[in-house]
Amino acid sequence: NNSANIKDIEIDEKLFLQKAERINELLHLGAINKNERARVMSAILLSLIDDTPPNIDNTPIGLMRDINSRVENVLEKEKKESFKNQIKIVLPPSPDNHIKWKKAIVQTIQELNLINIRSAMNSGTDILGQFYEKFLKYGNGAKEIGIVLTPRHITHFATEVLNVKYDDFIFDPTCWTAGLLVSSFDYFKKYSNEKQVDKFRQ
């Protein structure tokens, strides 16, 4: 566009949320318990951070080990090793379900690649939080691995009440998908000039 400015990647929110519903259905068909789905999604998303995707041609046990190994590497890099046991995925207890499990994991990875999940992970929107909510509403497994999302209307309300300004600092000690931080930034941008936005972003 003959411009040096790089705009934020546009995210099709509706498409992402439709995909989340589709993936939830795939995980259900793959014999993945509703309380395990948030954990499985966490592991898959972390495994996709790497430049090379997990080897989907692996056996079910090989795929499980590949994903867990990638998760461990990412967590070590980020100095978050203590989370590895909470995010570790396991095969279903019944060997009869291993093929179904693998098929669901492979299809989930393919669905995530179709919507370019990495763009959502790097975007300035809270699409990842909304995406996760689709898995959280079906079971309690998310709480076991520490995923607790502040509802969107609460983050919007908080930023309006605080009337966030460019020289404010936003501190969210329990930050997960950065919902409060993103909401603050979105609110602030409406009432600020470009110079103020840059200062606030820093």
Side-chain angles (χ1 to χ4, degrees):
N1 296 325
N2 296 320
S3 166
N5 295 325
I6 299 173
K7 293 180 182 173
D8 283 341
I9 297 164
E10 294 213 9
I11 304 292
D12 184 343
E13 212 169 287
K14 193 175 173 189
L15 174 68
F16 269 75
L17 300 182
Q18 285 171 347
K19 285 290 182 188
E21 290 289 355
R22 168 80 181 127
I23 289 169
N24 206 43
E25 187 183 315
L26 291 172
L27 297 177
H28 170 70
L29 294 172
I32 296 169
N33 183 294
K34 64 184 177 182
N35 291 331
E36 290 291 314
R37 290 182 206 156
R39 176 192 314 267
V40 168
M41 283 309 302
S42 296
I44 291 172
L45 288 172
L46 284 173
S47 76
L48 291 174
I49 288 174
D50 205 3
D51 291 334
T52 57
N55 181 2
I56 58 174
D57 295 325
N58 251 326
T59 62
I61 196 162
L63 180 59
M64 178 199 70
R65 287 177 178 155
D66 186 7
I67 291 170
N68 284 336
S69 171
R70 288 164 186 274
V71 167
E72 208 169 312
N73 289 339
V74 170
L75 292 174
E76 279 174 13
K77 225 182 271 180
E78 298 298 322
K79 311 259 188 289
K80 305 275 185 196
E81 300 95 328
S82 60
F83 285 104
K84 75 178 178 188
N85 290 329
Q86 282 89 353
I87 299 177
K88 188 176 185 178
I89 57 173
V90 294
L91 288 170
S94 166
D96 296 342
N97 286 331
H98 289 188
I99 299 298
K100 278 170 43 174
W101 180 91
K102 180 193 169 183
K103 183 179 177 186
I105 299 296
V106 168
Q107 288 177 323
T108 296
I109 291 169
Q110 290 168 337
E111 293 284 347
L112 292 172
N113 286 335
L114 282 174
I115 57 171
N116 189 5
I117 193 69
R118 289 174 114 185
S119 65
M121 293 163 90
N122 294 317
S123 79
T125 66
D126 191 29
I127 189 68
L128 202 55
Q130 293 175 63
F131 188 81
Y132 257 109
E133 281 175 9
K134 295 291 179 186
F135 302 96
L136 302 180
K137 71 180 182 182
Y138 294 104
N140 295 317
K143 291 178 185 147
E144 291 171 20
I145 59 172
I147 302 175
V148 181
L149 299 174
T150 307
R152 210 150 302 357
H153 66 280
I154 301 294
T155 58
H156 292 317
F157 173 74
T159 52
E160 284 177 25
V161 168
L162 292 169
N163 191 22
V164 178
K165 303 223 176 8
Y166 80 97
D167 54 354
D168 289 335
F169 290 91
I170 309 302
F171 176 63
D172 185 358
T174 60
C175 176
W176 175 246
T177 61
L180 183 62
L181 302 178
V182 172
S183 182
S184 299
F185 189 63
D186 287 344
Y187 173 81
F188 164 80
K189 276 197 313 192
K190 291 180 206 168
Y191 310 104
S192 308
N193 62 43
E194 205 172 312
K195 193 175 177 183
Q196 291 171 325
V197 169
D198 282 344
K199 182 177 179 358
F200 187 75
R201 194 193 306 259
Q202 287 170 16

